[in-house]
Amino acid sequence: MSSYLKELEKYRDIDEDEILRTLSPEQLEQLDCELQEMDPENLLLPAGLRQRDQTKKSPTGPLDRDALLQYLEQQALEVKERDDLVPFTGEKKGKPYIQPKREIPAQEQITLEPELEQALANATDAEMCDIAAILGMYTLMSNKQYYDAICSGEICNTEGISSVVQPDKYKPVPDEPPNPTNIEEILKSVRSNDKELEEVNLNNIKDIPIPMLTELCEAMKTNTHVRSFSLVATKSGDPIANAVADMLRENRSLQSLNIESNFISSTGLMAVLKAVRENATLTELRVDNQRQWPGDAVEMEMATVLEQCPSIVRFGYHFTQQGPRARAAQAVTRNNELRRQQKKR
């Protein structure tokens, strides 16, 4: 290290300006090119900054990309192709490989009765597929072919045996048609307490105004004929949940309420659960698949409501905690048993 420092000491007093004054223009230009910091392998830099400009000619005009590509393509077509060292004549050399026939040993040969030999010789692909399934050769067919041959008493496979298992082709399931319910007519029927209206189904209607849903819940307070009220996937939030809670406190004829797949938070669900305690006619309640998980406190409240409301025999919610799930299952079982005993009387 000391020798290296001593070697650098002799360059300490060198006058760089004096050396530059003695250089010729060609030497200065070469020095300028060497001092340019270039990085040819840096893909983040434009192509013009990866290497130094070595063009001596003056530009003849602006860059025309299409003309340049056309010139390069024409130049490539005009270049004569290189001749092959060995010209291709299409002659096939050697002999094609023929797989030798394997002779089956005498102890492995199976002799069948003439009737069975004739039946197998004349069997179709579908019949051979069924026979293979019965013999347990499930690797030669798809699952559908195998179980069809095992479970069905008739020959139903028409594809035959293939060495490559093909996937089953399923028919596409069409989308459900839109809900044709007219909300304004439903609202009028609920307000007039129509005897023929026993079910209000507004599922999958996305553009229902909040004031109209609130009016519908308000009209349900005095209705005595509607038995089922469903608001699945209607983008309902806490305001609608509060309106449903107020409706449950006064309605005495509703038996089924479904508000699944909405945007109701834990506050809205808690309001609905508190209102269910004051309702003695509701037998089915479904509140699952909300936008966010309601929390442990709401799940505990659900289990408590099911224990205190013997009228609820069907409850739709997927519990995440083991404690509330076990309590809710036990409460629903007890409520169903009480309902069965009441029917016997």
Side-chain angles (χ1 to χ4, degrees):
M1 189 67 181
S2 58
S3 61
Y4 176 71
L5 294 176
K6 292 179 180 179
E7 185 71 18
L8 293 178
E9 286 294 334
K10 63 181 181 180
Y11 300 108
R12 183 181 297 276
D13 299 331
I14 293 179
D15 189 1
E16 292 86 355
D17 296 335
E18 180 66 24
I19 296 176
L20 292 176
R21 281 194 295 268
T22 59
L23 296 179
S24 62
E26 292 78 7
Q27 292 175 335
L28 289 174
E29 184 178 358
Q30 182 179 2
L31 179 62
D32 183 51
C33 292
E34 294 294 337
L35 293 177
Q36 289 183 2
E37 295 183 1
M38 294 294 174
D39 190 0
E41 298 180 357
N42 190 356
L43 299 180
L44 300 179
L45 292 177
L49 299 179
R50 297 179 197 171
Q51 57 185 1
R52 61 178 63 91
D53 187 9
Q54 303 177 9
T55 304
K56 304 298 182 181
K57 297 170 56 178
S58 59
T60 58
L63 174 63
D64 188 352
R65 183 176 182 275
D66 296 336
L68 178 60
L69 293 177
Q70 185 177 3
Y71 169 76
L72 294 176
E73 183 179 358
Q74 183 65 27
Q75 187 180 21
L77 293 175
E78 292 177 355
V79 174
K80 184 180 179 181
E81 294 184 0
R82 185 181 61 180
D83 296 334
D84 296 334
L85 298 177
V86 179
F88 177 73
T89 59
E91 179 184 0
K92 293 183 179 180
K93 297 183 178 180
K95 297 181 180 180
Y97 175 75
I98 300 177
Q99 186 176 3
K101 294 183 179 180
R102 175 178 174 271
E103 296 183 359
I104 302 176
Q107 60 271 17
E108 295 183 8
Q109 293 182 359
I110 300 176
T111 304
L112 300 177
E113 297 181 1
E115 296 179 356
L116 294 178
E117 291 280 359
Q118 184 178 2
L120 291 175
N122 298 329
T124 62
D125 291 343
E127 293 172 344
M128 293 296 293
C129 186
D130 280 10
I131 294 173
I134 294 173
L135 295 177
M137 304 169 66
Y138 53 87
T139 57
L140 299 179
M141 62 198 71
S142 63
N143 290 337
K144 184 176 183 301
Q145 290 177 325
Y146 178 73
Y147 287 109
D148 286 347
I150 293 296
C151 302
S152 177
E154 300 179 356
I155 297 176
C156 52
N157 290 316
T158 58
E159 301 175 1
I161 299 177
S162 176
S163 58
V164 180
V165 177
Q166 300 293 332
D168 299 330
K169 296 181 180 179
Y170 296 98
K171 296 181 180 179
V173 179
D175 295 335
E176 294 184 0
N179 194 335
T181 304
N182 191 330
I183 305 175
E184 297 180 355
E185 294 182 359
I186 290 294
L187 181 58
K188 292 180 181 178
S189 300
V190 172
R191 285 176 175 173
S192 62
N193 201 7
D194 189 0
K195 297 181 180 180
E196 298 181 356
L197 182 63
E198 295 185 356
E199 180 182 2
V200 176
N201 186 348
L202 304 180
N203 296 346
N204 302 315
I205 302 179
K206 308 294 185 182
D207 54 351
I208 305 178
I210 294 179
M212 184 171 292
L213 284 177
T214 305
E215 293 178 7
L216 183 60
C217 294
E218 188 70 24
M220 283 289 297
K221 292 181 180 180
T222 57
N223 189 281
T224 58
H225 295 94
V226 175
R227 299 291 183 265
S228 176
F229 188 48
S230 183
L231 297 175
V232 177
T234 56
K235 295 184 178 180
S236 300
D238 287 347
I240 305 303
N242 294 328
V244 170
D246 296 338
M247 179 265 295
L248 289 175
R249 291 188 179 93
E250 300 185 20
N251 187 282
R252 293 297 178 267
S253 62
L254 188 65
Q255 297 179 359
S256 176
L257 175 63
N258 192 344
I259 54 175
E260 292 180 341
S261 303
N262 284 302
F263 299 160
I264 302 175
S265 66
S266 57
T267 305
L269 288 179
M270 191 68 75
V272 173
L273 293 174
K274 290 181 180 179
V276 170
R277 293 183 176 182
E278 305 176 18
N279 190 298
T281 60
L282 193 67
T283 61
E284 180 180 4
L285 177 62
R286 299 186 179 277
V287 296
D288 198 11
N289 194 28
Q290 301 301 326
R291 189 173 188 178
Q292 60 183 5
W293 178 57
D296 296 338
V298 177
E299 291 192 356
M300 295 296 293
E301 182 68 17
M302 291 177 182
T304 304
V305 168
L306 292 175
E307 291 172 349
Q308 297 179 358
C309 298
S311 61
I312 300 180
V313 295
R314 288 185 295 274
F315 185 72
Y317 179 78
H318 181 72
F319 288 90
T320 58
Q321 301 297 327
Q322 179 64 26
R325 184 190 303 118
R327 290 176 54 192
Q330 186 177 3
V332 171
T333 303
R334 184 203 61 187
N335 294 345
N336 280 276
E337 181 65 20
L338 293 176
R339 177 61 62 89
R340 186 183 64 83
Q341 293 177 1
Q342 290 176 0
K343 288 182 178 181
K344 284 186 176 181
R345 296 176 185 176

